[in-house]
Amino acid sequence: MTIRFLRNGLLAGLALAALAAPAAAQEKVLRIGMTAADIPRTHGQPDQGFEGNRFTGIPMFDGLTGWDLSSADKASVVIPALATEWSVDANDKTKWIFKLRPGVKFHDGSAFNADAVVWNVEKVLNKDAPHFDASQVGVTVSRMPTLRTARKIDDLTVELTTSEPDSFLPINLTNLFMVSPAHWAAKLAAVPATVTDPAERAKQAWVAFAGDPSGTGPFKGTRLVPRERFEMVANKAYWDAKRVPKIDRVVLLPLADANARTAALLSGQVDWVEAPAPDAMPRIKSSGFNIYSNPQPHVWPWQLSFVEGSPWLDKRTRHAANLCINRSELQTLLGGMMGVPKGSVAPDHPWWGNPAFDIKYDAAAAKKLMTEAGYSAAKPMKVKVLTSASGSGQMQPIPMNEFLQQALKECFFDVELDVIEWNAVFTNWREGAKDPKARGANAINVTFATMDPFFAMVRFTSTKTFPPVSNNWGYFGNPEFDELIAKARSTFDGPGRDAALANLHKRIVEEAPFVWVAHDVGPRAMSAKVKGVVQPKSWFIDIATMSME
């Protein structure tokens, strides 16, 4: 196994040492141990996967649309955020009108308006814009690939244009966070005059902005120490009265190692940890901490390569791998903290579609398929999987991948695990299996969200989302799938779109471009002092509505 990740113990020590200076006694401070090995970017478009959106995106910024995270009992849905309403043009379904929320201010006091929306679209789409930032493109455009332009109609109205009819756009826009153009301009003005190259000036302005960000969200960023900590304070002037924070300060700490996170929680150095060590769950509970979990729209998979020479080109091997995993045993290994998948969505989901291939544990059927494909114990199929030691939604990647390594050996798979730093894996997810940074892997282990059609299915099966456009890492796709996707995208009524998506999901499961291993339930452990916690059926969670004793 190749190991190329940060020394988590050292990182944990640095992060926890930074807590030595106590906050004022009257201040309500929430300290969070993340799975990320570094602070997600704070300039408005976070990296570190959706853990970045969870902890430096949603708390500090808003999109035109957002997620309803107020219920633990029903699926999260898209709701108005900085836009109050939207509609697609009846005659030209590539044009959308968004009405903006009046009276909203950025943290620096400047107004949110249509000009700000146009500016924020251009920061990732217009290479000629003075504030264009290539570093934000990958984590934004790959999540909304059809958006092309934004045009101001009036101060509170914008027109957005897509490259093709796309009923998914309002969902995709939850990933485009709005930052203050005026605040960025102030950072640009502070760049020394000796820096004359416009691109370099813009880059330095964005770096300065990240250290002192300005959004419209319920928290304001105040202190950034890369790889160590990030602090936010309550925005008491937040536009949504229901989400004005009761917690005064939030401290984010990167603690990539599950045991380090768990130790930090048990010792009282943090109040909340993501993905605690499974074998420590009984001790965490007996020590008075609360463990929250809920089924999430989330898949923990191997995504397979379909490039020339890949052993996964034979569908029998893909079906065999899915049949060779005893997921109930893995569930026990994880202390029950996973769901057993039958596909990217569950059989009770409107996008299910009743696939002909049944994902289950049947080692005999798996070995039969592998034998038919020409493999045996003496001649196993060599598989190289690119994975990480931690990261957003990665659950417990090392023990889970080692479990798969052993389980698949029974069915004539010889699995090599290549473990590198999480952000490098996440970046290669967009670069693709053909890129040298894939390191010869023919499978990649990156978890993905299934709360919207593009995230759940389209980006993995469309020929239009081959790298570097989006996350079709393995180059899976053909005219049949493109046609199924076009049908779903161009269907704007809910029931019709669900039916089209069910047809797409059915064919995805049958063709098996993934090894579906688990659905996450998002386990997080918190001090009993943290109140008002709602663990939604979502990858995200709302800190703004919580309080501290």
Side-chain angles (χ1 to χ4, degrees), residues 103-113 116 179-184 214-216:
V104 176
K105 300 287 187 182
F106 287 105
H107 297 153
D108 60 287
S110 61
F112 167 75
N113 52 30
V179 306
S180 167
H183 195 62
W184 184 88
S214 178
T216 62

Side-chain angles (χ1 to χ4, degrees), residues 86-97 492:
W86 51 88
S87 60
V88 67
D89 190 301
N91 299 315
D92 182 354
K93 288 188 166 52
T94 66
K95 296 186 184 300
W96 292 77
I97 296 295
F492 287 79

Side-chain angles (χ1 to χ4, degrees), residues 6 44 67 72 83 105 135 285 291 304 322 334 384 398 411 441 494:
L6 293 168
W67 292 102
K105 300 287 187 182
S135 74
K285 292 178 182 177
I291 293 178
L304 308 178
N322 276 288
L334 295 175
K384 184 174 181 180
I398 299 300
C411 301

Side-chain angles (χ1 to χ4, degrees), residues 164-336:
E164 60 185 278
D166 188 358
S167 62
F168 310 156
L169 181 68
I171 310 173
N172 298 160
L173 288 173
T174 60
N175 299 288
L176 180 63
F177 293 113
M178 298 290 143
V179 306
S180 167
H183 195 62
W184 184 88
K187 300 302 182 185
L188 180 67
V191 175
T194 53
V195 180
T196 57
D197 177 64
E200 180 59 27
R201 290 183 62 83
K203 180 179 178 180
Q204 292 192 23
W206 279 115
V207 170
F209 187 99
D212 178 29
S214 178
T216 62
F219 289 93
K220 305 176 185 179
T222 58
R223 185 186 179 202
L224 171 63
V225 183
R227 297 191 179 275
E228 187 177 309
R229 69 192 281 134
F230 181 66
E231 297 184 18
M232 300 177 284
V233 298
N235 174 18
K236 296 298 186 181
Y238 186 55
W239 57 266
D240 185 350
K242 299 187 299 298
R243 296 184 64 229
V244 173
K246 304 176 185 69
I247 294 170
D248 298 311
R249 183 178 300 270
V250 177
V251 181
L252 302 177
L253 302 166
L255 297 171
D257 180 72
N259 290 320
R261 287 194 300 277
T262 302
L265 181 75
L266 292 171
S267 64
Q269 294 172 304
V270 296
D271 308 295
W272 163 350
V273 296
E274 297 287 280
D279 57 2
M281 293 287 192
R283 185 181 172 194
I284 291 171
K285 292 178 182 177
S286 67
S287 298
F289 295 93
N290 295 320
I291 293 178
Y292 297 89
S293 67
N294 210 348
Q296 293 185 341
H298 166 280
V299 176
W300 195 101
W302 283 357
Q303 186 176 352
L304 308 178
S305 171
F306 289 77
V307 302
E308 185 178 358
S310 172
W312 299 110
L313 292 173
D314 188 329
K315 184 163 69 174
R316 292 172 295 189
T317 67
R318 307 195 299 270
H319 281 192
N322 276 288
L323 293 171
C324 197
I325 303 166
N326 188 331
R327 294 168 181 82
S328 296
E329 283 188 359
L330 179 59
Q331 192 174 40
T332 300
L333 174 69
L334 295 175

Side-chain angles (χ1 to χ4, degrees), residues 421-545:
E421 195 269 333
W422 160 239
N423 232 29
V425 178
F426 191 73
T427 299
N428 182 247
W429 200 31
R430 296 189 302 273
E431 295 165 334
K434 296 178 182 179
D435 191 273
K437 289 191 282 297
R439 303 159 64 90
N442 51 47
I444 192 169
N445 171 216
V446 179
T447 61
F448 64 88
T450 60
M451 66 269 205
D452 77 69
F454 179 74
F455 271 58
M457 295 182 275
V458 173
R459 58 179 171 160
F460 305 122
T461 57
S462 170
T463 60
K464 296 179 181 179
T465 57
F466 286 169
V469 174
S470 194
N471 301 118
N472 196 340
W473 179 86
Y475 296 84
F476 174 82
N478 56 46
E480 177 199 359
F481 279 86
D482 285 346
E483 185 176 339
L484 290 169
I485 290 165
K487 173 66 175 175
R489 250 197 177 129
S490 59
T491 302
F492 287 79
D493 71 283
R497 187 174 67 179
D498 284 345
L501 291 167
N503 289 333
L504 176 60
H505 183 261
K506 167 183 164 65
R507 291 295 296 126
I508 291 172
V509 174
E510 290 169 350
E511 290 300 313
F514 298 101
V515 178
W516 287 272
V517 179
H519 289 311
D520 197 4
V521 296
R524 47 179 55 100
M526 296 191 197
S527 164
K529 295 185 298 182
V530 186
K531 303 297 185 182
V533 179
V534 175
Q535 173 99 355
K537 292 184 175 181
S538 170
W539 200 302
F540 308 122
I541 191 168
D542 193 359
I543 303 171
T545 56

